[in-house]
């Protein structure tokens, strides 16, 4: 790689970036949306701060500028220059990587500083931005016009954003989310503070392999671009072969990282909910309760709905203990949340069982009656409770008695 060639191409790309109002608009949109959701609405999620700038800047802007150069025929001059295809690709992507990584890091640190490891976040965003910017290059190469780029990138943007946001509600969307490189980016950032277990490094390995596969895939399209004689793209055998390999690898990623679902097991005539991923065993009467599991942005929500009364349930919410909170600190944080929600009739109690210290809270909100236990380990925070609507107080006794009876038998691996 010749540095002066890379520098010349990168400087040209930077000038085009700041000259074009469409690319500046996408920067403003990415920063504005994350800031609006985080500051004004107060509901910022880590995946939003990561994916919005990566997808808007690393995918759309790369594709848009590439298609613009192709339309204006200025790309032909670069392709006919002494620069090889690797130099052209890296030179054009360098500035995009710098601005995408910088803005994404700024947003993530601004809204989620306590939840991340700076080093692993930087590494994950660098690797992820490489993947998305190369995908943007392929879109820009294939699409004959900038308007077509807008249509195609919108489909990809929705795929990246919606599959992650809605993965907990639909198995197909969850499978799609696990197949994408952004899945590994988010997992590395999520696990960065803990840095535990081989699964953390598996995400790094899968993401690095993604980069190499996408690099050769993108390079094959760049080589084929010189052979195109019309605006309608004709796929070469290499394009198709590498596309199939990449698709198979994505399918393998989705299968390999398929989460372990909890299940109802029976021992000695007693039914239990068991989830080996979180080391959790909880007695529950499956004759009167119906189980559901939902995963949303790294959190697991398990509900046990009373079969004849859907507004009454037992529930378990599991989130990662990213701040290394002690049981006392976790409960203080929960109390602050309850006070902000203006709960009434709040009663609290400290309990110990099976070597676990937990805090119990009973309260009333506009949505009904709640009894919750907060159990904290070094890895996770478990919120186990019972809930029923205010207009069905007779069922409170059922779910409350089931909770109080079963909470003493809960098993959590520390």
């Amino acid at each position: 790689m010749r540095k002066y060639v890379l520098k010349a191409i990168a400087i040209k790309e930077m000038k085009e970036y700041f000259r074009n109002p469409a690319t500046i608009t996408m920067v403003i949109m990415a920063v504005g949306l994350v800031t609006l959701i985080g500051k004004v609405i107060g509901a910022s999620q880590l995946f939003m701060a990561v994916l919005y700038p990566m997808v808007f800047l690393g995918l759309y802007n790369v594709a848009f500028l590439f298609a613009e150069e192709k339309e204006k025929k200025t790309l032909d001059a670069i392709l006919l220059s002494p620069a090889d295809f690797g130099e052209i690709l890296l030179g054009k992507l360098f500035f995009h990587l710098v601005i995408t990584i910088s803005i994404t890091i700024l947003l993530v640190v601004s809204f989620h500083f306590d939840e991340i490891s700076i080093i692993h976040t930087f590494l994950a965003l660098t690797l992820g931005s490489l993947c998305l910017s190369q995908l943007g290059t392929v879109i820009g190469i294939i699409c004959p016009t900038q308007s077509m780029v807008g249509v195609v990138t919108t489909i990809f943007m929705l795929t990246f954003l919606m599959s992650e946001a809605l993965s907990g509600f639909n198995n197909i969307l969850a499978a799609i989310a696990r197949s994408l490189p952004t899945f590994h980016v988010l997992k590395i950032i999520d696990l960065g503070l803990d840095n535990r277990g081989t699964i953390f490094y598996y995400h790094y390995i899968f993401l690095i392999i993604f980069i190499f596969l996408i690099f050769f895939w993108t390079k094959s399209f760049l080589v084929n671009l010189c052979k195109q004689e019309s605006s309608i793209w004709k796929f070469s055998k290499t394009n198709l072969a590498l596309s199939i390999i990449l698709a198979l690898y994505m399918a393998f990623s989705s299968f390999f990282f398929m989460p372990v679902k909890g299940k109802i097991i029976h021992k000695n005539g007693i039914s239990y909910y068991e989830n080996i991923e979180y080391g959790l065993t909880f007695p529950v009467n499956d004759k009167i309760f119906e189980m559901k599991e939902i995963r949303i942005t790294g959190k697991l929500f398990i509900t046990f709905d009373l079969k004849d009364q859907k507004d009454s349930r037992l529930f378990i919410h599991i989130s990662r203990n990213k701040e290394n909170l002690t049981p006392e600190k976790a409960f203080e944080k929960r109390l602050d949340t309850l006070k902000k929600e203006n709960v009434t009739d709040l009663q609290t109690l400290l309990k110990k069982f099976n070597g676990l210290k937990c805090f119990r809270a009973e309260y009333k909100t506009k949505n009904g009656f709640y009894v919750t236990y907060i159990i904290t380990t070094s890895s996770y925070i478990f919120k186990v409770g019972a809930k029923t609507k205010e207009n069905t107080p007779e069922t409170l006794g059922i779910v409350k008695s089931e909770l109080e009876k079963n909470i003493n038998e809960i098993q959590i691996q520390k």
Side-chain angles (χ1 to χ4, degrees):
M1 294 288 178
R2 293 165 292 181
K3 290 184 179 179
Y4 70 92
V5 174
L6 295 174
K7 182 178 179 181
I9 297 174
I11 291 175
K12 177 183 179 301
E13 196 72 12
M14 180 181 68
K15 291 179 179 178
E16 290 294 325
Y17 199 99
F18 288 116
R19 177 197 60 79
N20 199 306
T23 54
I24 300 301
T25 300
M26 295 307 286
V27 173
I28 295 172
M29 282 183 62
V31 175
L33 281 172
V34 175
T35 304
L36 176 67
I37 295 170
K39 287 290 186 182
V40 180
I41 302 177
S44 175
Q45 297 287 342
L46 180 59
F47 84 92
M48 295 179 183
V50 172
L51 293 186
Y52 278 34
M54 282 184 63
V55 172
F56 286 10
L57 312 185
L59 179 68
Y60 177 84
N61 280 356
V62 172
F64 184 84
L65 289 182
F66 217 102
E68 182 184 52
E69 280 194 290
K70 198 171 64 172
E71 276 193 271
K72 293 181 177 179
K73 306 298 182 182
T74 55
L75 184 60
D76 294 342
I78 299 177
L79 294 174
L80 294 174
S81 71
D84 62 38
F85 293 114
E87 290 173 336
I88 293 173
L89 184 58
L90 293 178
K92 290 185 71 63
L93 295 184
F94 179 78
F95 176 73
H96 290 281
L97 291 174
V98 170
I99 195 165
T100 300
I101 295 168
S102 300
I103 291 177
T104 308
I105 281 280
L106 177 64
L107 292 172
V108 172
V109 169
S110 298
F111 294 102
H112 304 278
F113 180 76
D114 295 334
E115 303 174 36
I116 63 167
S117 161
I118 296 295
I119 294 175
H120 290 299
T121 299
F122 175 76
L123 291 174
L125 291 177
T126 301
L127 298 174
S129 297
L130 268 170
C131 290
L132 264 67
S133 60
Q134 290 180 89
L135 175 59
T137 300
V138 172
I139 295 173
I141 289 173
I142 294 176
C143 293
T145 63
Q146 295 175 60
S147 58
M148 181 62 72
V149 166
V151 174
V152 175
T153 52
T154 299
I155 295 172
F156 276 93
M157 289 163 67
L158 289 174
T159 301
F160 279 102
L161 298 174
M162 300 308 292
S163 63
E164 180 62 37
L166 303 177
S167 60
F169 302 95
N170 185 280
N171 290 332
I172 295 176
L173 289 175
I176 293 173
R178 294 193 304 271
S179 72
L180 302 174
T182 46
F183 169 77
H184 303 289
V185 173
L186 292 169
K187 286 297 182 182
I188 291 170
I189 294 173
D190 183 50
L191 298 171
L193 275 181
D194 304 316
N195 193 13
R196 62 177 181 272
T198 55
I199 195 71
F200 175 72
Y201 297 101
Y202 283 156
H203 287 294
Y204 263 120
I205 293 170
F206 269 75
L207 190 52
I208 291 170
I209 294 174
F210 253 119
I211 289 173
F212 281 103
L213 287 177
I214 293 178
F215 175 78
F216 290 109
W217 180 65
T218 306
K219 189 176 178 181
S220 75
F221 280 90
L222 197 58
V223 171
N224 195 23
L225 177 62
C226 300
K227 303 175 184 178
Q228 298 295 311
E229 298 177 354
S230 68
S231 59
I232 300 175
W233 183 264
K234 294 182 180 180
F235 289 88
S236 67
K237 292 181 179 179
T238 306
N239 293 157
L240 293 173
L242 289 175
S243 297
I244 292 171
I245 292 172
L246 184 59
L248 290 173
Y249 182 72
M250 293 171 67
F252 176 65
S253 171
S254 180
F255 175 78
F256 186 86
F257 290 98
M258 187 179 297
V260 179
K261 291 186 176 182
K263 59 183 179 181
I264 298 294
I265 61 173
H266 296 85
K267 293 181 181 178
N268 302 322
I270 302 175
S271 56
Y272 298 85
Y273 167 80
E274 181 182 64
N275 191 307
I276 59 175
E277 180 182 355
Y278 295 95
L280 171 67
T281 303
F282 179 69
V284 62
N285 188 344
D286 63 342
K287 293 181 180 179
I288 62 174
F289 290 103
E290 183 178 2
M291 183 196 78
K292 293 180 183 177
E293 274 190 359
I294 297 177
R295 292 174 183 264
I296 304 176
T297 62
K299 299 177 182 179
L300 178 62
F301 299 86
I302 311 132
T303 60
F304 306 95
D305 291 336
L306 201 59
K307 289 183 177 179
D308 59 350
Q309 180 56 263
K310 297 298 183 181
D311 289 332
S312 301
R313 63 179 62 93
L314 301 178
F315 61 83
I316 303 174
H317 298 172
I318 307 174
S319 58
R320 196 172 297 281
N321 189 1
K322 295 181 179 181
E323 302 175 55
N324 294 318
L325 297 175
T326 62
E328 291 79 9
K329 289 292 183 181
F331 190 65
E332 286 178 14
K333 189 173 181 179
R334 179 59 184 160
L335 282 180
D336 289 340
T337 302
L338 292 176
K339 290 175 182 177
K340 291 177 182 178
E341 294 175 355
N342 297 319
V343 303
T344 57
D345 302 332
L346 177 62
Q347 302 175 41
T348 61
L349 177 69
L350 169 64
K351 292 187 69 173
K352 287 185 178 180
F353 49 84
N354 295 331
L356 297 169
K357 181 189 291 186
C358 75
F359 288 88
R360 180 184 185 277
E362 184 172 345
Y363 53 92
K364 179 181 176 183
T365 73
K366 61 181 180 181
N367 295 320
F369 297 96
Y370 289 83
V371 179
T372 60
Y373 286 86
I374 305 297
I375 305 171
T376 307
T377 68
S378 58
S379 302
Y380 301 103
I381 297 175
F382 298 81
K383 185 169 73 171
V384 185
K387 179 245 180 179
T388 185
K389 283 284 189 181
E390 185 175 4
N391 59 1
T392 57
E394 66 278 2
T395 60
L396 177 62
I398 299 175
V399 293
K400 187 176 177 180
S401 63
E402 284 290 322
L403 174 65
E404 301 297 352
K405 179 178 67 176
N406 296 338
I407 194 69
N408 293 307
E409 303 297 326
I410 191 171
Q411 299 289 332
I412 297 174
Q413 295 180 8
K414 297 183 179 180

